Amino acid sequence: MGNYPAEPFKIKAVENIEMTTKEDRKEAIKEAGYNTFLLDSDDVYIDLLTDSGTSAMSDEQWASLMIGDEAYAGSNNWYKLEEAVKEVYGFDYVVPTHQGRGAENLLSQIMIEEGDYIPGNMYFTTTKAHQELNGGTFVDVIIDEGHQSVADHPFKGNVDLEKYKDLIDEVGADKIPYICVAVTVNMAGGQPVSMDNLRKVKEISERNSIKVMYDATRCVENAYFIKKNEEGYQDKSIAEILKEMMSYADGCTMSGKKDCLVNIGGFLAMDEEDLYQEATQLVVVYEGMPTYGGLAGRDMEAMATGIYESVNYEYIEHRVEQVQYLGNKLDEAGVPIIKPIGGHAVFIDAKEFLPHLSQDELPAQALAAAIYVDSGVRSMERGVVSAGRDEDGSHHYPKLETVRLTIPRRVYTYAHMDVVADSVINLYENRKNIKGLKFVYEPPVLRFFTSRFEPIE
Ligand code: F0G
């Protein structure tokens, strides 16, 4: 074996990709308003827009699709999914949803009242939107290192316990229905939370009768980092670590499109029966019967299979180490990236990459467009455009202005990673030629999805 864990799978089916020229791509990005979300996927060579719903399923998962029981109620695939979540995550009650934000909607509606505060280890776009739609205010309680692009901390996603306690003192525990802990933290760079921190968050919360709800979207990646970097966990299995992590939560929302290795699906899980009853009343309004929650039977079966596969050590080691490989290559060439490298993506520090652009010139958006034109690699802006506007109408300027190169699970090879690295390194050497962008169309919410831009000449 070389200096990285090679693929612990072999390839049974391939999807051919149409190759494009630089001229084609210049035209395509212009038509897409310089927004990589608006590109047609046919125009993309290596698609690193997201790791969400883009995983390759295994042959067993494809076989699962063939045993879909498409009954409106009581599908046997649902019972398998419920069993998988109970067994692997350890919660007593499960409500299926069509994806993660479906679970966020239910949780926010049930638990948040007007004027409540919801602390969390950095915001995520849809999570925060649901909290606010229900009258809550999100309060960021991640450790300061989480906002620094480079910090020598193996668990940059940790909750700052002092910030959390200060919030409780300031607003009162009765105004905090729950703390939302993301494992890992997407917007910080895919950064994990340590077991020790999760344990302490639980202690503080229990003392104050505050519930702990995880955003479990990338919890298996988090478990891998704990095994690798936290003392005392080297000899524990991924499944054991995951179970222990979940034992410090009262429930979780899950986007199955990430760590459950499926193209669609999610769930809300919890230990408390009352909460479950409320969730089952709401799920019928928004998603469907509590035995399908917006999913086909076959999708639930594939997710159940994916949940068991996801805790396999060779799988998760390859998944995270492939991300590390790309990050290390960029880092060795001097490209400024978020460090340590996270679990699902390499985040380029666009402020450092393009120091000649101010944040108003949307450096991350401009860099994402430039990478696409250079090599057909599609990435995502995670900076001022994603952060939206403050109540007074001005841009919200996040400290981290990044371009996310998000690696789908089991889809690309190490050779693909080399193509990405070469392109980004080439652009870095010619970075002075990259111009800023300005808005020409901007929607009021979640603007990054559909905004259009133009180069600043
Ligand atoms: N929480 C986190 C941390 C996420 O990264 C996402 C989705 C969600 C919740 C919502 O889940 O998409 O299934 O409704 N993240 C995707 C991404 C979209 O590209 O980072 P969903």
Side-chain angles (χ1 to χ4, degrees), residues 33 438-442 451-455:
K438 61 178 185 220
F439 279 93
V440 290
Y441 164 71
E442 182 187 349
S451 284
R452 301 183 70 86
F453 309 89
E454 227 172 55

Side-chain angles (χ1 to χ4, degrees), residues 56-322:
M57 292 205 295
S58 66
D59 53 352
E60 287 194 19
Q61 285 180 292
W62 281 99
S64 297
L65 295 182
M66 286 308 293
I67 52 170
D69 169 13
E70 306 307 339
Y72 190 80
S75 157
N76 71 46
N77 311 122
W78 155 247
Y79 296 110
K80 286 209 203 149
L81 173 59
E82 186 185 37
E83 182 58 31
V85 176
K86 284 184 178 178
E87 200 178 316
V88 177
Y89 290 73
F91 295 112
D92 292 335
Y93 300 98
V94 190
V95 180
T97 61
H98 75 285
Q99 60 184 80
R101 68 198 73 181
E104 290 170 353
N105 174 36
L106 302 181
L107 178 72
S108 303
Q109 288 210 36
I110 294 166
M111 294 195 70
I112 301 173
E113 283 174 21
E114 190 70 40
D116 279 348
Y117 294 85
I118 303 89
N121 50 347
M122 200 174 272
Y123 81 101
F124 182 71
T125 53
T126 58
T127 320
K128 181 163 168 268
H130 279 296
Q131 292 168 354
E132 287 171 351
L133 282 168
N134 286 285
T137 302
F138 164 80
V139 183
D140 190 358
V141 294
I142 199 170
I143 56 172
D144 289 342
E145 286 90 337
H147 288 281
Q148 293 160 9
S149 59
V150 178
D152 188 16
H153 195 307
F155 295 100
K156 268 169 90 181
N158 279 357
V159 172
D160 186 322
L161 304 172
E162 293 311 312
K163 285 186 196 165
Y164 181 31
K165 284 191 255 178
D166 286 349
L167 179 74
I168 298 171
D169 289 342
E170 198 185 311
V171 304
D174 57 332
K175 286 271 170 225
I176 307 176
Y178 64 95
I179 177 169
C180 173
V181 185
V183 286
T184 62
V185 185
N186 187 356
M187 301 299 267
Q191 304 296 335
V193 181
S194 72
M195 193 74 88
D196 179 59
N197 191 251
L198 292 174
R199 205 177 293 122
K200 286 179 177 145
V201 167
K202 179 65 180 164
E203 278 165 21
I204 297 170
S205 304
E206 225 163 31
R207 237 183 288 132
N208 289 280
S209 304
I210 296 170
K211 293 224 178 319
V212 179
M213 303 303 285
Y214 289 170
D215 177 342
T217 296
R218 298 184 181 83
C219 57
V220 184
E221 291 164 13
N222 200 100
Y224 176 76
F225 281 113
I226 289 176
K227 183 173 170 75
K228 198 174 164 186
N229 295 328
E230 189 164 352
E231 224 189 292
Y233 288 93
Q234 279 67 46
D235 295 331
K236 294 229 157 98
S237 70
I238 296 294
E240 285 169 324
I241 295 171
L242 188 63
K243 262 281 184 54
E244 184 181 340
M245 284 166 56
M246 294 298 152
S247 75
Y248 304 126
D250 297 287
C252 73
T253 57
M254 182 73 193
S255 170
K257 300 173 74 172
K258 285 82 164 177
D259 273 1
C260 301
L261 290 167
V262 282
N263 306 119
I264 195 71
F267 59 81
L268 172 63
M270 67 282 275
D271 283 330
E272 200 182 290
E273 193 180 352
D274 291 354
L275 213 61
Y276 169 69
Q277 293 302 350
E278 281 186 68
T280 55
Q281 287 158 32
L282 266 192
V283 77
V284 290
V285 181
Y286 290 97
E287 307 278 325
M289 285 279 292
T291 57
Y292 78 84
L295 294 169
R298 55 179 173 268
D299 294 329
M300 293 191 283
E301 185 77 24
M303 185 149 73
T305 307
I307 286 172
Y308 291 115
E309 284 180 12
S310 72
V311 292
N312 172 281
Y313 179 73
E314 281 72 32
Y315 151 70
I316 193 66
E317 179 194 34
H318 168 266
R319 190 282 181 280
V320 176
E321 294 302 330
Q322 192 184 38

